[in-house]
Amino acid sequence: DGDNGYAEMADEMERLASVQPGFLGVESAREGVGITVSYWESLEAIQKWKQNERHLMAQRKGISDWYLAYKTRICKVERDYGFEKTE
């Protein structure tokens, strides 16, 4: 029943990540399948986030309670642009 604490943990991880050195931002979507993309200024900043004890605990809980499977990709953004129609 419910999300078993998932939304609360996701909010906590976003708050915690936001104060880590090198954090640039996060985007998330949840409809049918969930995806979260976090942006970091360097591979070193990513590695430090991966070593954060509270983040490691959340990952363990994800494996035991929330996920059947997950995938992590580390990518370099070469370009970022978009369009937004205004009326």
Side-chain angles (χ1 to χ4, degrees):
D1 294 321
D3 71 356
N4 196 20
Y6 182 86
E8 183 179 336
M9 182 65 76
D11 288 345
E12 179 185 345
M13 289 302 103
E14 186 172 340
R15 283 190 306 275
L16 182 59
S18 73
V19 297
Q20 299 301 301
F23 178 79
L24 300 174
V26 66
E27 297 173 316
S28 190
R30 300 271 180 272
E31 192 169 313
V33 65
I35 183 169
T36 299
V37 179
S38 61
Y39 299 94
W40 300 85
E41 68 182 20
S42 67
L43 290 174
E44 292 78 21
I46 294 168
Q47 188 61 37
K48 287 191 184 293
W49 172 238
K50 288 178 62 63
Q51 295 170 350
N52 179 284
E53 188 55 43
R54 186 71 178 149
H55 183 221
L56 290 168
M57 189 281 309
Q59 288 177 324
R60 288 189 296 270
K61 187 154 177 63
I63 290 168
S64 67
D65 294 1
W66 297 315
Y67 299 130
L68 296 175
Y70 73 88
K71 182 176 287 210
T72 299
R73 291 187 178 114
I74 298 175
C75 307
K76 182 176 181 181
V77 176
E78 295 289 339
R79 236 178 253 117
D80 180 22
Y81 56 90
F83 168 80
E84 185 175 332
K85 190 173 188 170
T86 59
E87 297 188 44

